[in-house]
């Protein structure tokens, strides 16, 4: 069975630009979460979506937004990119929400902002 | 907010040695998860713990859910080169996972 897939794998953007990252969950998983991982740190929660609705949001500015599609895939958008947005962006899927345990992660998208 | 502190921060061991690491929280968790992350990859779920005092094994890995529900431990027996990576504990709550600070494991040839 395919795991969580993310695209693109790497991305280089300039300050002020906008970026869209994509994620496809494990088949049968209806919940998708996004995390940002800065080098040397653990992942930090950005959003959780379940059944196309936002169920949780981390401490990130409004420049970050996301959505979930009817097929449960998801996109993360970041506007007005800053140098500090450079990080590995991870998508995770899970079977249930409410209890966000057993999240399965994709390989991530490495975003570099110059 | 919730904080998960892991120790040690890094470990340098020889192949074949046993490894122990722990994770402590400022608040109670009802579930503990342990993940391993290798360079350029996403975290991989190793073990999930659901009950205080629970001891769960996955091959050479054994994890325990502390009685106080504020800590968890991970042991790796007879380490091998592919055990290299960063090990994270994580606790769920409020629709998210909170990750620990990580323990980096390096195996000396």
């Amino acid at each position: 069975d395919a795991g969580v897939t993310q695209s693109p794998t790497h991305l280089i953007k300039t300050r002020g630009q906008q970026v869209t990252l994509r994620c496809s969950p494990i088949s049968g998983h209806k919940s998708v979460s996004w995390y940002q991982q800065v080098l040397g740190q653990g992942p930090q929660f950005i959003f959780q979506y379940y059944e196309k609705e936002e169920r949780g949001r981390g401490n990130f500015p409004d420049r970050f937004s996301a959505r979930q599609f009817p097929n449960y895939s998801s996109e993360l958008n970041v506007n007005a990119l800053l140098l500090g947005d450079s990080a590995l962006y991870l998508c995770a899927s899970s079977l249930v929400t409410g209890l966000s345990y057993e999240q399965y992660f994709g390989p991530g998208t490495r975003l570099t902002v110059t | 907010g919730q904080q998960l502190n892991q120790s040690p921060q890094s470990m340098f061991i020889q192949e074949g040695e046993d490894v122990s690491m722990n994770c402590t929280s400022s608040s109670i968790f009802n579930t503990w998860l342990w993940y391993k992350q290798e360079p350029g990859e996403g975290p991989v779920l190793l073990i999930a713990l659901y009950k205080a005092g629970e001891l769960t094994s996955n091959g050479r890995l054994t994890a325990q859910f502390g009685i106080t529900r504020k800590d968890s431990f991970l042991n790796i027996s007879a380490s091998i080169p592919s055990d290299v990576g960063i090990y994270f504990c994580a606790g769920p709550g409020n629709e998210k996972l909170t990750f620990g600070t990580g323990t980096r494991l390096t195996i000396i040839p």
Side-chain angles (χ1 to χ4, degrees):
Chain A
D1 285 344
V4 177
T5 59
Q6 292 186 243
S7 62
T9 53
H10 295 86
L11 204 52
I12 299 175
K13 290 286 189 178
T14 305
R15 276 179 299 176
Q17 286 187 317
Q18 175 263 343
V19 68
T20 298
L21 311 180
R22 296 176 176 83
C23 170
S24 292
I26 293 171
S27 178
H29 286 195
K30 298 182 178 181
S31 178
V32 170
S33 299
W34 287 94
Y35 292 79
Q36 180 195 66
Q37 187 176 26
V38 174
L39 200 61
Q41 297 182 17
Q44 296 292 316
F45 173 73
I46 309 175
F47 287 110
Q48 189 196 47
Y49 275 77
Y50 177 68
E51 292 285 8
K52 295 169 287 183
E53 290 189 5
E54 181 183 304
R55 296 300 180 97
R57 184 183 184 112
N59 188 25
F60 280 81
D62 291 343
R63 298 184 297 107
F64 288 77
S65 63
R67 56 180 176 168
Q68 187 177 32
F69 299 98
N71 66 353
Y72 304 109
S73 66
S74 178
E75 286 183 350
L76 175 71
N77 294 286
V78 187
N79 293 322
L81 285 167
L82 304 175
L83 294 179
D85 295 331
S86 295
L88 181 68
Y89 287 85
L90 295 162
C91 173
S93 74
S94 59
L95 271 172
V96 298
T97 186
L99 295 174
S100 310
Y101 51 85
E102 299 203 32
Q103 294 189 8
Y104 296 87
F105 285 82
T109 294
R110 172 73 61 187
L111 173 65
T112 302
V113 182
T114 62
Chain B
Q2 294 169 325
Q3 287 187 318
L4 299 182
N5 294 307
Q6 290 184 242
S7 65
Q9 193 172 20
S10 60
M11 303 181 74
F12 295 84
I13 63 167
Q14 290 190 323
E15 184 176 350
E17 286 186 22
D18 295 343
V19 172
S20 292
M21 61 187 77
N22 66 45
C23 178
T24 58
S25 170
S26 56
S27 54
I28 288 172
F29 282 99
N30 292 315
T31 300
W32 284 95
L33 306 171
W34 283 93
Y35 286 86
K36 177 190 175 188
Q37 187 174 27
E38 298 183 29
E41 301 292 330
V44 174
L45 181 62
L46 300 173
I47 292 180
L49 300 160
Y50 299 107
K51 188 177 176 182
E54 178 183 0
L55 193 70
T56 298
S57 293
N58 178 7
R60 294 177 297 105
L61 277 60
T62 301
Q64 184 163 21
F65 192 143
I67 291 293
T68 66
R69 292 193 286 158
K70 288 187 175 183
D71 55 10
S72 180
F73 308 88
L74 178 68
N75 297 307
I76 306 173
S77 62
S79 59
I80 59 178
S82 62
D83 290 334
V84 165
I86 303 177
Y87 291 80
F88 289 102
C89 61
N94 297 326
E95 312 296 343
K96 68 177 184 179
L97 287 180
T98 299
F99 280 82
T101 48
T103 293
R104 180 182 296 274
L105 179 63
T106 301
I107 295 183
I108 306 167

